[in-house]
Amino acid sequence: MHELSIVMSIIDIATEQAESAHAENIEEIEMDIGCLTTIDMDAFDFAWQQGVKDSILAGAIKKVNRIKGRANCYDCNTSFSLENVYDACPSCGQHLIHITEGKEMRVKSLVVY
Amino acid sequence: MCATCGCEGDGQVSILEPLHQHNLKDAHTHQHATKKLVDVEKDILHENNLLGERNRGYFDAKNILALNLVSSPGSGKTSLLERTLSDLKGELEFAVIEGDQQTTNDADRIHATGTKVVQINTGKGCHLDAHMVLHALQGMKPKNNSILFIENVGNLVCPAMFDLGEKERVVIISVTEGDDKPLKYPDMFYSSTLCIINKIDLLPHVSFNLEKAKEYARKVNHKLEMIELSCTSGEGLQQWYDWLKSKVLIPEAL
């Protein structure tokens, strides 16, 4: 259940940002969560429901952009999409790859008032 | 119509949201809170990563080789440490941080080897984080030019996300587990730099396919170094000790 730790970190960031914007409420929070991270979205949603209670994010709209995995092949320089970190390059079949997208875990923005 | 609370501007309130208190007798004399978009663009684990970097700076300054040992429960992390600490006693200076949900059993085992050790009990927590390690360091004050083993909570999933400030992450699997562990728990193998395959003395008795396991691990992380060993028979331990010595003698070039 590291998802709960993740949610608590998000609450900390949101609280700090709202405070420095002199806002007391958050209407919406937008996040990027890559498909190649270890975050399980069902566990995340469950942890969110429990975690944001009594926090500044209680009642806030949660917008999550799932970023699909992409990688470059070192061998043949192909750029391709992947679902698992162990997927091979579709062009040459090698695993000498560099993941370029899908590992994001970012709070993008808040709408505060 | 007012976009914030829906009141009509003619004094008639049509929709109420619990944003602020309206005085219905005197509608629309209240102050509207203004919405603001705040660009954050911050990594969710920003705070942990900062503390991880702070630990890393401390380790660099003292030329401490910090290793984060991760594995599922029962792969032999503590046994490997016990053996290493005994065999290299007098050659290298060591300190150990033990992470478990409960008990000081592992710390007691390490303490018996005469090594400085601190136990972190995470309670219900499934991983160590940089903050816990920071506090452990304040208490233990490891020596300059030493090796610090941080034995994480036995768990192949959660500790993968949390940087502790370590120089290298060492993932340990044993041949009594499935040889497809690297594919089942790819993130831990992806984020590690060395993979130790432990208990190889048991290979004749189990169906673990060593070559397959290594192939799977390389599929996940082509840069992963691998050492096969057994703490019982001693096979392969020299390679592990050589690896440790090769890392500890090189001060970080900045």
Side-chain angles (χ1 to χ4, degrees):
Chain A
M1 271 304 280
H2 53 287
E3 283 79 8
L4 188 59
S5 303
I6 299 291
V7 170
M8 299 320 276
S9 302
I10 295 168
I11 294 170
D12 287 345
I13 292 173
T15 308
E16 188 193 300
Q17 294 283 328
E19 269 172 22
S20 46
H22 307 292
E24 282 166 19
N25 300 284
I26 295 177
E27 184 178 276
E28 187 184 293
I29 178 165
E30 186 181 359
M31 293 167 280
D32 285 345
I33 297 182
C35 296
L36 300 178
T37 62
T38 47
I39 298 179
D40 176 87
M41 287 316 282
D42 286 339
F44 179 76
D45 290 340
F46 178 72
W48 184 272
Q49 277 176 28
Q50 300 302 318
V52 300
K53 278 181 191 168
D54 303 322
S55 84
I56 192 164
L57 283 171
I61 298 163
K62 164 167 64 82
K63 236 173 108 182
V64 178
N65 312 316
R66 300 306 314 274
I67 314 288
K68 294 210 167 119
R70 279 203 80 78
N72 279 335
C73 179
Y74 283 124
D75 259 1
C76 67
N77 215 17
T78 305
S79 172
F80 60 99
S81 59
L82 75 174
E83 282 180 16
N84 305 294
V85 294
Y86 51 79
D87 286 350
C89 167
S91 165
C92 70
Q94 294 301 309
H95 289 274
L96 286 168
I97 63 167
H98 169 63
I99 293 173
T100 52
E101 286 170 50
K103 285 278 182 191
E104 298 80 359
M105 289 203 306
R106 200 162 37 219
V107 177
K108 275 189 78 68
S109 63
L110 300 168
V111 177
V112 301
Y113 60 90
Chain B
M1 186 176 80
C2 147
T4 302
C5 67
C7 61
E8 294 293 355
D10 56 3
Q12 293 295 306
V13 176
S14 57
I15 305 168
L16 276 179
E17 286 181 6
L19 300 178
H20 35 240
Q21 290 296 316
H22 286 258
N23 181 351
L24 290 177
K25 285 183 204 147
D26 190 19
H28 225 186
T29 57
H30 57 268
Q31 286 291 308
H32 277 150
T34 30
K35 280 193 211 173
K36 212 178 344 174
L37 180 76
V38 181
D39 272 325
V40 184
E41 296 292 346
K42 219 173 199 182
D43 194 285
I44 290 173
L45 291 177
H46 172 76
E47 199 62 34
N48 183 76
N49 296 342
L50 277 183
L51 288 172
E53 287 303 335
R54 177 175 163 172
N55 291 344
R56 191 166 281 118
Y58 174 85
F59 296 139
D60 281 347
K62 292 172 73 69
N63 194 31
I64 292 170
L65 173 66
L67 304 173
N68 182 2
L69 273 57
V70 292
S71 81
S72 40
S75 65
K77 288 191 297 297
T78 315
S79 300
L80 177 65
L81 284 187
E82 280 178 308
R83 183 77 199 248
T84 307
L85 298 172
S86 305
D87 287 355
L88 297 183
K89 205 170 190 170
E91 277 189 72
L92 295 168
E93 192 72 45
F94 292 101
V96 178
I97 295 174
E98 282 288 342
D100 285 294
Q101 287 199 321
Q102 300 288 341
T103 82
T104 58
N105 291 357
D106 282 0
D108 294 343
R109 284 169 65 185
I110 299 300
H111 183 69
T113 68
T115 309
K116 200 178 238 189
V117 58
V118 168
Q119 175 81 50
I120 299 175
N121 280 144
T122 59
K124 301 279 180 263
C126 49
H127 57 267
L128 292 180
D129 62 34
H131 193 226
M132 297 175 194
V133 171
L134 176 71
H135 281 296
L137 287 171
Q138 285 167 343
M140 81 186 311
K141 298 188 174 61
K143 287 189 179 158
N144 290 356
N145 309 312
S146 63
I147 295 179
L148 174 68
F149 290 117
I150 306 169
E151 186 182 331
N152 218 311
V153 178
N155 177 341
L156 267 184
V157 186
C158 311
M161 297 184 114
F162 296 87
D163 178 24
L164 306 180
E166 71 266 24
K167 175 64 69 67
E168 310 265 349
R169 187 173 290 183
V170 182
V171 59
I172 299 158
I173 54 168
S174 59
V175 304
T176 51
E177 303 168 48
D179 47 29
D180 56 354
K181 273 269 161 88
L183 296 186
K184 283 181 170 169
Y185 302 95
D187 293 281
M188 196 59 93
F189 291 84
Y190 180 80
S191 64
S192 294
T193 42
L194 172 69
C195 173
I196 289 180
I197 303 178
N198 194 12
K199 308 187 190 176
I200 54 167
D201 55 304
L202 296 177
L203 272 175
H205 312 289
V206 293
S207 59
F208 188 92
N209 186 326
L210 195 58
E211 289 314 310
K212 267 232 157 80
K214 293 203 281 191
E215 185 194 321
Y216 291 148
R218 285 209 183 89
K219 276 189 181 178
V220 175
N221 179 355
H222 59 84
K223 286 185 269 190
L224 194 63
E225 291 183 76
M226 277 181 247
I227 296 176
E228 302 139 39
L229 55 80
S230 160
C231 295
T232 311
S233 70
E235 194 183 346
L237 280 176
Q238 194 53 52
Q239 207 188 334
W240 160 238
Y241 298 155
D242 290 344
W243 185 89
L244 281 178
K245 288 174 190 168
S246 74
K247 296 288 172 186
V248 80
L249 293 175
I250 307 166
E252 179 81 340
L254 290 173

